[in-house]
Amino acid sequence: MWMQAKAALSTELAASGICVLENFIGDEAKTAESLQHASLALFAAGGMKPGALGSQGGQGQGIDKSWRGDYIAWLGDDGPLVQRFESRGRLDPAVAAARFSAGSPLLTPDHSFQVPPPEIWIELLATLTSCMDSAVEILHGPGLVRREVMASVYPPGQRAGFQRHVDNPMRDGRRLSAVYYVNSGWDPADGAMLCSWPHGQQSMRQTVPSADILALFKADCLEHQVTMNSSCATFPSGHRCAFTCWYYDPEEEQLHDDSLLLRKRERFRRRRRGVKRSRAADRSSSGESNAGQRFRS
């Protein structure tokens, strides 16, 4: 268990910006297997959407598959969103169709995975997040607040990866990223590795996304990437799955939210001023036109 090395892991996290906890939950990867099946069922049902690039100054950058190729679903921090999973998939048929398109190993809906009912999701997420919360408090210290869980799938055959980046370059409050892997027997030769550049080290670090491993790293400064999923395996073994939580500094999060609100209000004021000027110009133009007509008559 990772608890036996907690002092060394805490020092490693503080010094290098990342630590990796193997045998994290410690239940012979049973929770990991259940979470993997649940996420794959959700993915196959069309309940995930392409991951979008983050915000810059409050403006989302949209979807760029050359930069980020995963599919995601936000699960909520205590399960309230899971009741909408299946309806979300039905309302987004384009995503479901894309999963069965040519070039993907997932070509037919003939599989045994079923999206779990909400109570199963809630139980699985409770197990995962309680372990995450304990690890964060032990290795980092108290004071951070966890937000909702994100499930992700990197499918094979689509060059799915995530280019080098920092999770929180905009000081939005995220202090720690916690990524839990659920892939039994993942072969490093198949790619989809977590690559990171620890502080004070010359070499890149690679983490295999194997079942029951947690990668914990600093969200506001550690550069990392996910290499391309080059697996040739068919569904489900070639699909790289993970569950991610972010832990926030409440004060920085509030400052960021306040700043976004001020920018939104300023944009609204500018739009209103623009509309007023446009209407005034229209009235002036209309008055000049009417005056000209009276003069001619």
Side-chain angles (χ1 to χ4, degrees), residues 22-285:
E22 299 182 0
N23 194 23
F24 175 59
I25 294 179
D27 60 353
E28 300 180 347
K30 292 179 180 178
T31 298
E33 181 181 15
S34 296
L35 285 167
Q36 181 191 35
H37 289 184
S39 61
L40 288 171
L42 183 61
F43 174 80
M48 290 188 174
K49 296 186 178 183
L53 297 181
S55 298
Q56 297 288 343
Q59 299 297 310
Q61 299 182 66
I63 295 169
D64 182 352
K65 301 298 287 184
S66 67
W67 183 273
R68 176 180 182 177
D70 59 338
Y71 288 78
I72 67 170
W74 292 100
L75 310 184
D77 56 0
D78 57 1
L81 299 183
V82 297
Q83 299 182 41
R84 300 199 296 272
F85 282 165
E86 292 185 84
S87 63
R88 185 185 303 173
R90 289 195 295 270
L91 291 172
D92 195 3
V95 174
R99 302 283 48 75
F100 301 100
S101 63
S104 169
L106 183 58
L107 296 176
T108 70
D110 184 18
H111 60 82
S112 59
F113 294 94
Q114 299 294 324
V115 179
E119 57 270 19
I120 299 299
W121 273 110
I122 293 170
E123 180 181 350
L124 290 171
L125 294 179
T127 299
L128 174 61
T129 55
S130 65
C131 291
M132 282 183 170
D133 293 348
S134 296
V136 167
E137 184 164 353
I138 290 169
L139 300 179
H140 178 273
L144 300 183
V145 178
R146 172 177 47 81
R147 299 303 183 212
E148 61 181 314
V149 185
M150 183 189 79
S152 64
V153 172
Y154 288 78
Q158 299 184 21
R159 304 181 63 84
F162 202 144
Q163 292 190 27
R164 186 171 175 172
H165 67 286
V166 173
D167 280 356
N168 174 22
M170 302 300 295
R171 299 187 64 83
D172 61 14
R174 285 179 289 175
R175 280 285 180 266
L176 288 180
S177 302
V179 186
Y180 182 68
Y181 299 110
V182 296
N183 312 287
S184 177
W186 188 265
D187 187 347
D190 288 339
M193 305 279 281
L194 173 66
C195 297
S196 59
W197 286 264
H199 308 152
Q201 299 183 19
Q202 298 297 321
S203 59
M204 175 186 68
R205 176 174 183 169
Q206 288 193 325
T207 302
V208 182
S210 296
D212 205 26
I213 284 181
L214 180 79
L216 190 64
F217 55 89
K218 294 183 178 180
D220 54 352
C221 58
L222 186 87
E223 294 187 346
H224 60 285
Q225 73 177 61
V226 177
T227 62
M228 182 181 71
N229 184 351
S230 55
S231 174
C232 295
T234 56
F235 185 80
S237 57
H239 292 63
R240 187 259 209 192
C241 306
F243 290 79
T244 302
C245 284
W246 283 275
Y247 287 80
Y248 283 73
D249 176 338
E251 291 185 4
E252 182 178 279
E253 182 184 21
Q254 186 62 56
L255 288 172
H256 179 262
D257 291 346
D258 291 344
S259 176
L260 287 181
L261 181 59
L262 287 173
R263 285 198 289 269
K264 288 179 180 178
R265 287 175 175 172
E266 182 57 32
R267 287 195 297 269
F268 177 73
R269 292 191 192 101
R270 286 198 297 267
R271 285 196 298 267
R272 288 191 63 182
R273 287 195 293 266
V275 169
K276 288 180 179 179
R277 284 195 294 266
S278 177
R279 288 175 178 173
D282 289 344
R283 287 194 297 268
S284 176
S285 175

